[in-house]
């Protein structure tokens, strides 16, 4: 008898399968029933259903192709001409094409469903991102660029650029980059050294950009000074628009020095560039570049939030699917109470974070359609950095849980599982690190009435009547809110505020999520018991007011 022909050696583990991502996401469907008018949901549901299929049937193969066939840069052609040609995979190109066709940027600007358009669009991005090899990055910058043009663009940009950024036809659709980072400064962009020299009515840019994401974009927005800052002074940066190539397809006096070798987001071509007199036009007011480009990066920060939640949802869905087919100790691992509990915490985490992300989508829709109150606008500004920093850290935590839930296979690159952890790590770095965003929350609090808007939002939510079973939860949330505002009333010193900004931001995110659970459950006709359980769990495991003070303890 052959010693190797036992039934055990021929065992092959069934691979877990994902089903239609929209249809299976009962929480998402409940959410849309609550927050979209019935006629809007009726109109868009078929599209969401079809897209829910595409993101599990077609896109993962393209994303895998993009991941394993990394972009490559060729500096010179055979004759010695400098060409700086970047080749990307077929998968990456298909992910762009589908993004245009599906209107992933366009929906937000067609505004067919008025203020609800942003929620519709961000739900599609939530379905797309985890299957996109993070093609969402160029989409985020493109959307931000479209919004920037809407708010600050001149006639030329409105006429020539905006329509193409928001086009659904892949032949006309173009994408934009956002180049802010230089060797001297990633978080502190005021250390930028790029100089803009005016020549016959246009600007020429000279300098160096250290990280430029999605360098295969067609256009970009970047920062430069029109005069050298005096020694020791901060640069007064202005914002510039530039096409990356000219009409002949040649680079616009730009040299691509290198593509970055990154931990994750490997499908995405990220370059370091030299600007050698790139032709550009100024956008917005001279010397107000950071303020002007904030219109763009406040959009990309919302994309970051949605993307984090997309990965969390995918981590949960795959881990749950695997738990259903993998057996250990005589039964499927989902039948083991401890593992089931772990999967359930992943489910609660994605749903809770989704509540925060979709709140931003709704507020953004209202702001853009001019139906937001002043308080809602200030709340959106305040919660954007809070949500970005919170969801990014949560995505990293749950991507790690996801790997562990697959055991050893989860640690193998060719299983396609580790890529999520490598990719989500960037979510807490680009578009502002956790600490920089915590400071941005303080900026919004101090300069744009953000904390007051938040306080009003919290107590407005708490003033709504609650049904009998929800009353106790509401009172618990009130206690947590009172603790926060009592702490803030004690700590009025702005300098001091910096050191506890991070813990504060986490607490504010968790409080907002608790309030969103309350509102969501209250609005459902027959709330599922799982939602009540999720809120209960959330209140027991987050919102630790003792953490608010720890900065003093360890100072
Ligand atoms: C999947 C999703 C993909 C997402 C796309 C990823 C693409 C990746 C591309 C990148 O990563 S690009 C690099 C991103 N870099 C950053 O996000 C920079 C992070 N650093 C900051 O955000 C700093 O806080 C900041 C650069 C803004 C600090 O600069 P300053 O010049 O020291 O800020 P200052 O003086 O406080 O603010 C200048 C003005 O801008 C002020 O207005 P005023 O001129 O009216 O006084 C501020 O109020 C305003 N401002 C700053 N941040 C703002 C803002 N206004 C609105 N919203 C904000 N967030």
């Amino acid at each position: 008898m052959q010693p190797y022909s036992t039934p055990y050696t021929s065992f092959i583990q069934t691979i877990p399968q994902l089903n239609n991502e929209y249809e299976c996401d009962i929480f998402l469907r409940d959410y849309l029933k609550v927050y979209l008018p019935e006629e809007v949901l009726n109109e868009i549901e078929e599209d969401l259903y079809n897209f829910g299929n595409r993101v599990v049937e077609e896109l993962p193969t393209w994303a895998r192709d993009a991941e394993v066939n990394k972009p490559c840069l060729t500096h010179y052609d055979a004759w010695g001409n400098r060409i700086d040609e970047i080749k990307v995979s077929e998968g990456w190109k298909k992910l762009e094409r589908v993004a245009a066709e599906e209107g992933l940027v366009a929906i937000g600007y067609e505004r067919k469903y008025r203020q609800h358009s942003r929620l519709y669009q961000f739900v599609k991005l939530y379905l797309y991102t985890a299957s996109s090899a993070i093609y969402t990055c160029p989409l985020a910058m493109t959307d931000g660029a479209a919004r920037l043009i809407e708010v600050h663009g001149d006639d030329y940009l409105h006429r020539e650029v905006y329509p193409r950024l928001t086009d659904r036809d892949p032949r006309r659709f173009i994408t934009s980059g956002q180049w802010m980072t230089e060797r001297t400064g990633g978080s502190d962009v005021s250390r930028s050294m790029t100089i803009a020299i005016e020549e016959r009515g246009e600007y020429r840019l000279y300098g160096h950009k250290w990280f430029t994401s999605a360098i295969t974009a067609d256009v970009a927005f970047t920062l430069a000074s029109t005069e050298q800052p005096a020694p020791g002074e901060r640069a007064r940066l202005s914002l510039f628009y530039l096409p990356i190539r000219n009409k002949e397809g040649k680079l616009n006096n730009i040299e691509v020095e290198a593509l970055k070798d990154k931990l994750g987001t490997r499908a995405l071509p990220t370059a370091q560039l030299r600007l050698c007199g790139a032709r550009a036009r100024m956008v917005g007011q001279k010397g107000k570049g950071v303020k002007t480009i904030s219109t763009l990066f406040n959009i990309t920060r919302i994309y970051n939030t949605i993307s984090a939640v997309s990965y969390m949802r995918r981590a949960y869905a795959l881990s749950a699917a695997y738990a259903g087919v993998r057996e250990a100790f005589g039964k499927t691992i989902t039948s083991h109470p401890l593992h089931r509990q772990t999967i359930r915490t992943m489910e609660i985490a994605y749903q809770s974070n989704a509540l925060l992300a979709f709140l931003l989508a709704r507020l953004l829709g209202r702001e853009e359609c001019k139906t937001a109150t002043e308080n809602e606008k200030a709340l959106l500004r305040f919660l954007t950095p809070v949500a970005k920093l919170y969801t990014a850290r949560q995505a990293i935590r749950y991507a790690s849980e996801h790997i562990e839930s697959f055991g050893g296979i989860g640690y193998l690159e060719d299983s396609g599982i580790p890529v999520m952890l490598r990719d989500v790590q960037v979510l807490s770095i680009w578009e502002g690190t956790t600490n920089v965003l915590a400071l941005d929350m303080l900026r919004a609090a101090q300069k744009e009435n953000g904390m007051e808007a938040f306080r009003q939002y919290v107590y407005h939510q708490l003033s709504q009547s609650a049904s009998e079973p929800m009353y106790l939860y509401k009172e618990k949330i009130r206690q947590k809110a009172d603790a926060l505002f009592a702490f803030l009333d004690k700590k009025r010193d702005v300098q001091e505020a910096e050191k506890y900004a991070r813990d504060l931001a986490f607490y504010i995110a968790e409080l907002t999520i608790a309030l969103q659970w309350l509102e969501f459950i209250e609005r459902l006709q027959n709330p599922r018991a799982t939602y009540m359980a999720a809120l209960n769990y959330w209140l027991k495991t987050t919102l630790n007011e003792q953490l608010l003070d720890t900065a003093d303890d360890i100072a």
Side-chain angles (χ1 to χ4, degrees), residues 187 234 288 291 294 298 301 307 381 440 443 447:
S187 297
R234 287 156 62 91
K288 281 281 185 187
K291 178 74 190 162
S294 71
N298 284 335
R301 288 173 183 177
S307 299
R381 167 70 185 94
D440 188 49
R443 186 190 279 111
K447 292 186 65 179

Side-chain angles (χ1 to χ4, degrees), residues 129 134 136-138 140-141 178-181 186-190 211-213 234-235 237 287-288 290-292 294-295 297-298 300-301 303-305 307-308 311 381 385 427 429-433 436-437 439-440 443 447-448:
T129 298
I134 215 147
T136 313
C137 166
M141 297 187 291
Q178 161 205 6
W179 304 343
M180 290 176 68
T181 308
S187 297
D188 181 4
V189 299
S190 72
F211 276 97
T212 57
S213 296
R234 287 156 62 91
L237 295 164
K288 281 281 185 187
V290 174
K291 178 74 190 162
T292 314
S294 71
T295 303
F297 65 60
N298 284 335
T300 50
R301 288 173 183 177
Y303 266 72
N304 207 87
T305 302
S307 299
Y311 285 114
R381 167 70 185 94
L427 298 178
I429 299 172
W430 65 14
E431 296 305 334
T433 61
V436 164
L437 287 163
L439 298 178
D440 188 49
R443 186 190 279 111
K447 292 186 65 179
E448 298 178 62

Side-chain angles (χ1 to χ4, degrees), residues 459 462-463 473-483:
Y459 288 108
L462 289 170
S463 70
Y473 294 127
K474 199 171 90 170
E475 287 315 299
K476 182 93 195 267
I477 299 173
R478 187 189 303 282
Q479 254 174 33
K480 297 288 183 184
D482 291 347

